[in-house]
Amino acid sequence: MMNIQECAKQTGCSKDTLRYYDQHHIVSPKRNSNQYRDYSNSDIRLINTIQNLKLAGLKLVEIKMIINLMNSPISESCKESTLSFLQEKRQLFQAKAQFYQSLDLIAQDIEISARQQAFANVPHLIQKISLIGNQLRLEATPK
């Protein structure tokens, strides 16, 4: 068991973030006799999972939903909710992957232009970035 300061140091989260997680019932550490938070190894694993999901681009409200699903008994509605959520996220991840692949190609074009000192193409390439970004936003919009 560890206090909030030790937990913050081990996870890289601020103490304020850990308090926020506790207040919003995302991570609920046990309390010791002085009512101080006492973080367990499973709390640390959960915090690390939250950080990884945030890094993957999930919102905290979605992460809380995932945690609730993980802690729920397996049922048909739980299964349907999970599959629906995963389908939406996979579509978003695929759209983002395409966007970043396109950005990589554009960066290559800019690099080639820069090596050839042909910077006249840069405004056209920047316009392509905007078009790709607009397409990503349209594809990511829930239907």
Side-chain angles (χ1 to χ4, degrees), residues 5-128:
Q5 184 171 347
E6 294 165 331
C7 180
K9 185 176 180 180
Q10 185 168 342
T11 62
C13 282
S14 70
K15 292 189 281 186
D16 287 339
T17 297
L18 296 172
R19 287 184 192 104
Y20 180 88
Y21 290 167
D22 190 10
Q23 289 169 350
H24 290 85
H25 308 290
I26 299 168
V27 178
S28 300
K30 290 186 168 52
R31 299 285 180 143
N32 65 22
S33 59
N34 294 334
Q35 292 304 306
Y36 291 127
R37 293 170 182 88
D38 229 351
Y39 291 89
S40 67
N41 288 333
S42 63
D43 293 327
I44 300 299
R45 284 191 299 275
L46 180 57
I47 293 164
N48 288 332
T49 298
I50 292 167
Q51 289 176 308
N52 290 332
L53 292 172
K54 284 173 62 177
L55 189 61
L58 274 67
K59 298 173 186 159
L60 205 48
V61 72
E62 295 169 326
I63 293 169
K64 186 174 181 180
M65 185 186 83
I66 289 170
I67 292 168
N68 288 337
L69 285 171
M70 286 174 22
N71 296 327
S72 297
I74 297 173
S75 67
E76 195 60 33
S77 66
C78 176
K79 175 183 167 185
E80 293 303 319
S81 295
T82 301
L83 291 174
S84 174
F85 174 78
L86 289 172
Q87 183 179 15
E88 287 177 26
K89 285 298 157 189
R90 289 193 67 223
Q91 287 173 349
L92 178 62
F93 293 153
Q94 290 167 1
K96 283 184 176 185
Q98 289 174 336
F99 175 71
Y100 287 116
Q101 288 171 348
S102 297
L103 283 181
D104 184 49
L105 292 174
I106 290 168
Q108 287 176 352
D109 287 348
I110 292 172
E111 182 180 357
I112 290 167
S113 294
R115 290 185 192 284
Q116 298 171 352
Q117 296 184 3
F119 285 103
N121 290 333
V122 172
H124 174 70
L125 296 172
I126 292 172
Q127 183 180 13
K128 285 171 68 175

